[in-house]
Amino acid sequence: MQDSLLKSNQFIDHYETFKSVLLLSEKVKQNLPSSSVLALGNRNAKLKITLIVNPFSAKSRNAHFIMEQILENYHDLVCVEVRFHFNHADYGYKKSKTVHEQLVYLYLSEGPQAFITGLYNWFTYTDERKLPTTPITRENEIVIKEILSKQFTCNIENHLFFAPIFSINQYLYPKQYDYKKLINFIEELSDDPEFHN
């Protein structure tokens, strides 16, 4: 039984197997304007990974920590685009609106590293008091609302209704693979011309 398990693990960890399954996955349209992209890592990297997260989801928390590990180990090889699945037209949940706006504001005002730290703090403590409390100007609020609205629209147009969701150069991450496996394939994906935009 152990031999059988070992063989199946070798098969699933094989890059060509992963690639074959990935290429059979549904493709996501790249219809998000660049002005609404929250990019981390190397913006010019050939390998683009998109991560849709919900700050209030435990699974998104795990996905965020996987994303951090990828950026820590492969910062130059990958561009990670973070998107939220937040309907800005729904004002029923004030805390959600505040958290989403503060996180996007962190990205715009202090840059990608501050944004990563803000997401880390949020997912670690789930306490909005751990986020900067800098008042957002009316002008910035309009920009933030536009970013969140465009991200939400893009998700809906691609039938992406849940979070977390990873996609790799437009291909949805295969359901057969745990998200933790992604880090094992970063180098090969970045070298593979089939995944270059």
Side-chain angles (χ1 to χ4, degrees), residues 24-43:
L24 292 173
S25 297
E26 189 179 333
K27 283 189 87 171
V28 177
K29 288 180 248 168
Q30 294 288 57
N31 52 349
L32 184 68
S34 59
S35 59
S36 297
V37 169
L38 308 178
L40 312 173
N42 178 2
R43 275 185 174 270

Side-chain angles (χ1 to χ4, degrees), residues 6-190:
L6 185 63
K7 283 178 184 174
S8 69
N9 282 343
Q10 288 172 341
F11 180 73
I12 205 160
D13 287 337
H14 186 255
Y15 174 69
E16 290 301 327
T17 304
F18 174 77
K19 176 181 172 179
S20 297
V21 176
L22 180 61
L23 289 172
L24 292 173
S25 297
E26 189 179 333
K27 283 189 87 171
V28 177
K29 288 180 248 168
Q30 294 288 57
N31 52 349
L32 184 68
S34 59
S35 59
S36 297
V37 169
L38 308 178
L40 312 173
N42 178 2
R43 275 185 174 270
N44 300 316
K46 292 173 182 171
L47 179 60
K48 306 269 189 218
I49 297 173
T50 301
L51 171 60
I52 300 171
V53 292
N54 173 353
F56 296 90
S57 152
K59 288 184 177 178
S60 285
R61 176 183 185 273
N62 295 336
H64 165 75
F65 292 129
I66 291 166
M67 175 204 73
E68 274 197 342
Q69 193 179 9
I70 289 169
L71 286 170
E72 191 176 309
N73 290 292
Y74 301 105
H75 188 272
D76 293 335
L77 295 182
V78 66
C79 176
V80 177
E81 297 179 359
V82 176
R83 297 183 193 173
F84 293 109
H85 192 66
F86 174 69
N87 184 358
H88 210 284
D90 180 8
Y91 290 97
Y93 194 17
K94 188 177 178 187
K95 181 177 179 179
S96 180
K97 179 178 179 284
T98 301
V99 168
H100 283 88
E101 286 183 347
Q102 284 293 337
L103 286 168
V104 175
Y105 181 66
L106 253 179
Y107 182 89
L108 296 175
S109 63
E110 297 183 37
Q113 192 53 53
F115 175 72
I116 292 170
T117 302
L119 266 177
Y120 172 85
N121 287 339
W122 170 257
F123 280 122
T124 302
Y125 305 107
T126 57
D127 181 353
E128 64 268 28
R129 291 172 295 186
K130 297 288 183 183
L131 295 173
T133 53
T134 313
I136 299 172
T137 65
R138 179 73 186 128
E139 186 180 326
N140 283 329
E141 192 176 354
I142 292 167
V143 172
I144 291 165
K145 182 178 178 180
E146 179 74 8
I147 289 170
L148 290 168
S149 296
K150 295 279 187 195
Q151 289 184 354
F152 184 73
T153 300
C154 179
N155 295 342
I156 296 301
E157 287 174 357
N158 281 293
H159 309 288
L160 306 174
F161 303 111
F162 304 101
I165 295 172
F166 276 104
S167 67
I168 300 168
N169 286 35
Q170 298 183 299
Y171 291 95
L172 286 178
Y173 191 81
K175 291 176 184 173
Q176 297 90 330
Y177 283 81
D178 190 296
Y179 288 142
K180 290 178 194 168
K181 294 281 184 188
L182 176 55
I183 197 164
N184 300 340
F185 303 116
I186 297 296
E187 286 186 40
E188 287 162 304
L189 284 165
S190 68

